[in-house]
Amino acid sequence: MGNSSTQGGDSRAATPLERFMQSESSGGIVLMLSALAALIVANSPLFASYTKALHASFLGMSVEHWVNDALMAVFFLLVGLEIKREMQVGELAKWSQRALPGFAALGGMIVPALIYAWVNRSSAETLAGWAIPAATDIAFALGVLSLLGNRVPMSLKVFLSALAILDDLGAVAIIAVFYSAGLDVTMLAASAAVIAVLLIMNKAGVIRLLPYLVLGAVLWVLVLKSGVHATLAGVALAFCIPLNKDADEAKSPSLRLERRLSPWVAFVVMPIFGFANAGVSLAGVSLSSLLDPVPLGVAAGLLLGKQIGVFTFALVAIKSGLAQMPTHSSWRQVYGVALLCGIGFTMSLFIGNLAFPGSQLLIDEVKVGVLAGSTLAALAGILVLRFFASSKA
């Protein structure tokens, strides 16, 4: 979302990164409200109607599946466009810039997964959810970070954004490898053929968006039918659309599409996903039920695993000289951001649905764990960044 207003005499136009930040931050607040609305509905007389609407059939799939398969593909299309741009012309263009969020994202995936796996080590069924706490919700995390204003330097916001994008992509890879079943080789081959055509169009200098989007829709259908999760189609399409880094936005299809998609994803796609997936009845939920393996593993993975993994891997990367400390930031601020990485709402719920497709009870336990862990991580991050962190500490 563009912003060319002046502040303190600065009349420059907002950069693509700043527009992305502004959209994701405000979109995160809308996402919080949609999740709250889902919780209210799920604990009211409207719960039966809410569930019936999600399970209603439309063009051969339930409304819930359209949300999770189609809208999430659009979300990951935007994620792919963003990370592609940042790695070519933005804040991740150099190895030194990529190293810190890359190492931190790796730690933020490994440690939460290990904590969840340890808590659920005695049950093969619940162990399938090991990847649930592995991803950070970029919209939620940046939305919370935006509440702190200029207390957090831009370098840390860039760090959090890049980290969240990288471990979301890591989550997509996990979905492709571990949560895809019954692969259809014919459909996979057809998907590969469509990707080949998209790449040829890229190399041939085609800059009109419509042909890419039409083939992208075909690719989504083929990937959906292949047994690989359909969200991968969005990422694949993003990396096939030309960026034209030396051209202006009018001649760069990737930049044009990113600008157009950003507000739709932030204010339509993600709130719909949040409303469709956060609704869980809290009737009968008690402190003892929070200690069941699934909610405990998810909550502990998000609250403890994320902060330990992100901060420790970042510390090692910086101290070893493999990465640089974010400018104008302190270790306490880095730790505060590591806490915010425990907000795992979107992808955690998404992976939970894939891990336990036949058990509504386990999916509801995932929702409880995600809500508890994400809420505690957000509050802890705000507390550290608001009262205990400064650029000098």
Side-chain angles (χ1 to χ4, degrees):
M1 297 176 64
N3 181 8
S4 59
S5 64
T6 60
Q7 289 183 349
D10 184 4
S11 60
R12 66 181 179 85
T15 67
L17 177 64
E18 288 168 338
R19 292 200 300 267
F20 177 78
M21 290 291 191
Q22 292 159 3
S23 174
E24 289 291 347
S25 298
S26 52
I29 296 172
V30 176
L31 180 56
M32 295 177 202
L33 294 176
S34 70
L36 179 61
L39 277 173
I40 293 173
V41 169
N43 291 276
S44 75
L46 296 173
F47 183 51
S49 299
Y50 169 84
T51 303
K52 183 178 180 181
L54 289 177
H55 293 156
S57 180
F58 177 71
L59 297 178
M61 292 198 307
S62 69
V63 171
E64 185 176 27
H65 281 144
W66 276 109
V67 171
N68 292 339
D69 290 345
L71 289 187
M72 285 301 283
V74 176
F75 168 76
F76 277 105
L77 170 58
L78 179 61
V79 168
L81 293 170
E82 165 65 15
I83 194 64
K84 176 182 177 181
R85 175 173 56 78
E86 288 302 315
M87 293 188 74
Q88 290 194 26
V89 299
E91 297 293 337
L92 300 175
K94 299 178 182 178
W95 164 248
S96 59
Q97 294 171 309
R98 298 173 188 171
L100 184 60
F103 278 108
L106 182 63
M109 288 186 283
I110 292 174
V111 179
L114 289 176
I115 289 178
Y116 179 94
W118 185 83
V119 172
N120 287 269
R121 64 192 182 279
S122 61
S123 171
E125 181 185 17
T126 61
L127 189 59
W130 62 270
I132 293 170
T136 296
D137 189 299
I138 185 171
F140 249 128
L142 287 175
V144 171
L145 202 60
S146 71
L147 300 177
L148 297 165
N150 59 9
R151 291 179 177 275
V152 180
M154 177 57 71
S155 63
L156 277 181
K157 296 177 182 179
V158 172
F159 167 62
L160 176 60
S161 177
L163 187 160
I165 291 171
L166 289 174
D167 74 5
D168 270 354
L169 288 177
V172 173
I174 289 171
I175 290 167
V177 175
F178 297 101
Y179 295 106
S180 296
L183 297 181
D184 186 318
V185 176
T186 301
M187 290 298 174
L188 283 176
S191 300
V194 172
I195 291 174
V197 173
L198 287 166
L199 291 173
I200 291 171
M201 289 167 51
N202 185 320
K203 293 297 183 182
V206 177
I207 62 172
R208 289 187 62 205
L209 273 173
L210 184 60
Y212 291 99
L213 297 179
V214 170
L215 284 177
V218 173
L219 178 62
W220 178 81
V221 173
L222 293 173
V223 173
L224 179 68
K225 293 180 177 296
S226 73
V228 176
H229 201 273
T231 51
L232 291 177
V235 178
L237 176 61
F239 281 89
C240 291
I241 297 176
L243 177 59
N244 295 343
K245 60 183 180 180
D246 296 323
D248 59 26
E249 187 175 291
K251 298 179 180 179
S252 179
S254 182
L255 291 177
R256 292 203 311 273
L257 184 57
E258 183 185 338
R259 178 177 57 82
R260 294 173 185 176
L261 278 182
S262 184
W264 285 99
V265 169
F267 300 113
V268 178
V269 172
M270 297 313 297
I272 290 175
F273 175 86
F275 185 75
N277 286 274
V280 57
S281 175
L282 299 178
V285 174
S286 63
L287 181 59
S288 61
S289 63
L290 288 173
L291 298 179
D292 288 344
V294 169
L296 178 61
V298 172
L302 290 172
L303 179 61
L304 301 177
K306 275 292 184 180
Q307 61 172 294
I308 293 171
V310 169
F311 187 76
T312 301
F313 275 60
L315 177 66
V316 170
I318 293 171
K319 291 296 185 181
S320 65
L322 294 173
Q324 299 174 352
M325 186 78 167
T327 56
H328 307 299
S329 64
S330 68
W331 282 113
R332 290 180 184 176
Q333 287 177 324
V334 172
Y335 176 64
V337 168
L339 282 166
L340 293 184
C341 289
I343 304 173
F345 184 81
T346 305
M347 283 303 301
S348 295
L349 293 177
F350 186 59
I351 295 174
N353 288 329
L354 298 179
F356 308 122
S359 175
Q360 188 60 48
L361 173 62
L362 291 179
I363 289 176
D364 285 345
E365 287 192 339
V366 168
K367 293 178 181 180
V368 171
V370 169
L371 291 172
S374 297
T375 300
L376 292 173
L379 293 175
I382 291 173
L383 183 65
V384 169
L385 291 170
R386 175 65 176 83
F387 296 106
F388 298 106
S390 71
S391 60
K392 298 180 181 180

